[in-house]
Amino acid sequence: MSVSVDGYVAGPNDGPGNPGGDGFTLHDWALAPEGDFRGSGVAGKLMDEIREAGAVVSGRRTAEQADHWGGVHHGEGVPVFVLSHRQPDPSVAKYPLISYVNDGIESAMAQAKAAAGDRHVHVIGARTAQRALEAGVLDEIQIHQVPVLFGGGRRLFEVLPSRVTLEIVRVIDTPEATHIRYRVRR
């Protein structure tokens, strides 16, 4: 997840008509000047790692703001499991790789892991990541810490029920972001 130094994954006024909030720049580290994802360098390598996922678990808010990625997350044909308490809009039926899961994060992760086989599951969305941590079904966290202070918006880890201890696995420092991979210690 891309995050500001002060812990925000979205800025003020984040919503369906304004994904990421006012002046959203957190994904700029991964984007080429023409707006496509970079295919080379550190950003390209990290984007390749994301694309290696065998399945995705996303929160509803994130999925809806991205218009369900047009049914194909990051251009790859992997299943996406959207965590939600409500049924999807009927328009989602046109995306056969998008499945809504209404019975909790544990079920969403189990379905995603089964679909992913020996590949990893990519978890996106602040609240979804929080729920996965709380349930003990998240093994690693990749943070792309962007040198900006938002001062408000949607925090990545707003409230957790208890302390979570992390182990640093890898740090890659670039001018656009510091990329830190953590393993969740149990």
Side-chain angles (χ1 to χ4, degrees):
M1 302 233 199
S2 296
V3 63
S4 67
V5 172
D6 53 349
Y8 293 95
V9 294
N13 301 312
D14 172 50
N18 191 25
D22 297 342
F24 185 74
T25 57
L26 291 181
H27 293 155
D28 287 0
W29 67 268
L31 298 174
E34 61 276 3
D36 295 327
F37 286 107
R38 294 182 191 189
S40 62
V42 170
K45 179 180 182 275
L46 292 167
M47 291 308 299
D48 285 345
E49 288 178 5
I50 291 170
R51 287 185 199 100
E52 289 171 1
V56 174
V57 173
S58 173
R60 182 181 188 125
R61 178 185 178 88
T62 300
E64 287 180 344
Q65 284 192 1
D67 189 25
H68 298 87
W69 304 277
V72 186
H73 189 269
H74 285 303
E76 301 295 318
V78 299
V80 177
F81 299 89
V82 179
L83 189 61
S84 179
H85 294 296
R86 298 176 284 124
Q87 292 300 315
D89 184 276
S91 66
V92 176
K94 67 185 175 190
Y95 302 134
L97 293 175
I98 307 293
S99 300
Y100 271 60
V101 179
N102 302 97
D103 56 347
I105 187 68
E106 294 91 342
S107 176
M109 287 296 285
Q111 291 177 56
K113 286 180 179 183
D118 61 352
R119 296 163 65 189
H120 72 273
V121 173
H122 182 64
V123 176
I124 52 179
R127 184 68 183 126
T128 303
Q130 290 175 29
R131 288 180 178 162
L133 269 176
E134 291 167 6
V137 296
L138 191 64
D139 299 323
E140 290 187 350
I141 300 171
Q142 175 76 39
I143 298 291
H144 311 285
Q145 189 175 47
V146 179
V148 63
L149 298 167
F150 276 9
R154 182 171 297 276
R155 286 192 183 275
L156 176 54
F157 298 114
E158 187 68 40
V159 177
L160 294 171
S162 62
R163 176 183 294 215
V164 176
T165 303
L166 306 172
E167 172 187 344
I168 297 174
V169 174
R170 176 180 74 188
V171 177
I172 301 172
D173 194 24
T174 70
E176 296 84 16
T178 300
H179 310 278
I180 311 167
R181 176 173 283 171
Y182 298 96
R183 181 172 298 117
V184 178
R185 292 177 57 189
R186 300 195 193 335

